[in-house]
Amino acid sequence: MLTQPYSLRLSAMTLYDDIASKLSAHIDNGIYPQGSRLPGVRRLSQQFGVSISTIVQAQRQLENLGLIEARPRSGYYIRLRPRLKSALPTTSQPTPKPTPVAGQELVLQLAQVTSRADFVQLGAAVPDESFMPMRTFQRSLANTVRHYGKRAANYAFPPGLPELQHQLARRMHLCGSPVAANRILITNGCQEALSLALQTVASAGDIIAIESPTFYGLLQVIEALGMKALEIPTDPQTGISLPALELALEQWSVKACVLIPNFSNPLGSLMPVERKQQLVVLAHRHNLLLIEDDIYGDLGFNGARPPNLLSVEPDPANGNVIYCASFSKTVAQGLRIGWMVLPERFFRRAEYLKYVANLAAPTLPQLALADFLAHGGYERYLRQVQTRYARQVDLFSHAISQHFPTDTRVTQPKGGFVLWVELAEGTDTLLMTQDLLKQGISIAPGQIFSATQKYRNCLRLSCAQPWTAEVEQALVMVGQRAG
């Protein structure tokens, strides 16, 4: 609990001052819990017997004092008040040398835990089903079965179904990336897209530059393909260091750079637009292929989608950017539908590799997703879930500030749903993970996010779980073991 109340000391000079004072008292008393949504203006108007304009003025006063915050298309929420805002994790300083990937065996164990209902799932970045639009998507599935019949059971050979290609091209155009539908290759999730991209542009033994820390699934792909990873220092707010990347390009023959510019996993960093532009220029200067994982790009907290690298590439059809994404974080992870956009010179090779790997992406999910996108269900869902994830990250950050050691450092993402937590030097989060698994709690230890098993004093938490007393108690236990 907070150690100090934050009641307003408002005079009763005006009616809206009085309403603001009463609302502040309700916040102090827990009638409106931290992180919860403040009732709408009409309801408050009726409750206090005043005009809507008076309520609006009172809300503005509370907002100016930092007690509530507005969220796009959702209303006002009670702000969380941590005892002390945690410092950001330090910028990574990985070993500037290419290395084979090792130590990824633990990942499968963590993945298997996600299917166990008796575990508190804080480890894998897999949203709880309550965060997914399953009810509305089920209608699209039913429409598909009813309208397409036998076609839904046939192969959809690469590059994929035109219906879904068209809808993806339309969405990418709205996001500032005009792409021809026939340049979109449908894949079995983003993981396969990343694998196909690397197989298309590189070979065993080649050096791949990556963020550090980075998504462990990428490390597994690099390991499976016999390539070497070159970890580049990465800032928890702005992403990969461009000066460090350029220095690496001058020292090593780097074939490609794989990164997540929008709300990266695990740091949640968001690369500013000007840095994205500088990165694309850098790639052209060094003839470097950029493989962009944009799986979290739709999950920004302020409602505005940040531009991707493809949108700042001067000539997308002939440039140096390969774009990869999927619906695993926004519709359902089990659909296994992703996609990629490649420069024309690489498209046929990737298309063939996709065919050799598994013939085709599933047909029924492709048709259902096309229907879901065509009828606006996806956009409506995003408007709701963006606000939910913002609240979840606030709740988890607040709990960490209360229950973890005072020197804990935590990221402050502006999108997505993961937090990177840096503990005191000497803390072993792998031992913590093994201990917590025995207690029915999963976390992701930092070393699986590094090719060289760095970040042993760090961990990643997924906030995409409904906030319950059980989840809060699990965070208390994690904090106790971090002390």
Side-chain angles (χ1 to χ4, degrees), residues 147-350:
H147 291 144
Y148 288 99
K150 292 182 179 180
R151 187 183 174 207
N154 293 335
Y155 282 121
F157 291 115
L161 292 178
E163 292 90 342
L164 183 55
Q165 287 179 302
H166 172 75
Q167 291 300 326
L168 291 173
R170 182 183 65 84
R171 268 200 57 75
M172 296 198 70
H173 181 79
L174 294 174
C175 297
S177 303
V179 171
N182 61 6
R183 283 187 51 228
I184 296 175
L185 175 61
I186 309 299
T187 65
N188 286 38
C190 194
Q191 184 89 338
E192 184 181 55
L194 293 173
S195 178
L196 291 173
L198 283 173
Q199 291 178 70
T200 299
V201 303
S203 304
D206 282 340
I207 299 171
I208 309 300
I210 59 174
E211 296 165 305
S212 184
T214 193
F215 169 49
Y216 52 71
L218 171 61
L219 294 174
Q220 294 162 17
V221 171
I222 293 174
E223 180 182 30
L225 296 178
M227 299 174 185
K228 296 180 180 179
L230 177 59
E231 298 184 66
I232 306 297
T234 303
D235 183 86
Q237 288 190 301
T238 59
I240 197 167
S241 168
L242 300 190
L245 176 60
E246 184 156 30
L247 181 61
L249 296 176
E250 293 170 353
Q251 291 181 296
W252 308 97
S253 178
V254 179
K255 201 71 173 181
C257 176
V258 187
L259 68 166
I260 309 175
N262 293 331
F263 317 125
S264 71
N265 177 7
L267 292 178
S269 58
L270 174 61
M271 182 179 286
V273 177
E274 61 273 14
R275 286 170 63 89
K276 292 174 180 173
Q277 294 168 335
Q278 294 166 6
L279 175 59
V280 170
V281 171
L282 175 66
H284 279 272
R285 187 162 64 244
H286 289 271
N287 194 29
L288 173 71
L289 273 302
L290 299 175
I291 301 175
E292 175 180 21
D293 179 348
D294 197 29
I295 196 170
Y296 295 95
D298 284 339
L299 297 179
F301 296 158
N302 67 359
R305 197 191 198 287
N308 49 49
L309 293 181
L310 198 63
S311 68
V312 299
E313 165 62 64
D315 186 7
N318 301 290
N320 285 35
V321 176
I322 297 177
Y323 177 91
C324 304
S326 90
F327 293 99
S328 296
K329 310 300 182 185
T330 52
V331 179
Q333 58 268 20
L335 288 177
R336 308 311 305 141
I337 295 296
W339 74 98
M340 57 194 305
V341 181
L342 305 98
E344 291 179 358
R345 65 187 184 277
F346 296 126
F347 191 88
R348 294 304 176 194
R349 175 62 178 168

Side-chain angles (χ1 to χ4, degrees), residues 128-131 388 392 396 463-469 471-472:
D128 181 82
E129 63 180 18
S130 63
F131 288 85
R388 288 192 66 192
Q392 289 299 112
F396 274 66
C463 306
Q465 300 295 322
W467 185 256
T468 62
V471 167
E472 185 171 19

Side-chain angles (χ1 to χ4, degrees), residues 2 4-9 24-25 27-28 32-35 65-68 78-81:
L2 292 178
Q4 296 182 352
Y6 48 96
S7 296
L8 294 174
R9 301 295 185 261
S24 174
I27 295 171
D28 282 346
Y32 301 135
Q34 295 179 57
L65 289 164
L67 298 185
I68 63 176
I78 313 303
R79 291 190 62 184
L80 298 172
R81 292 299 187 90

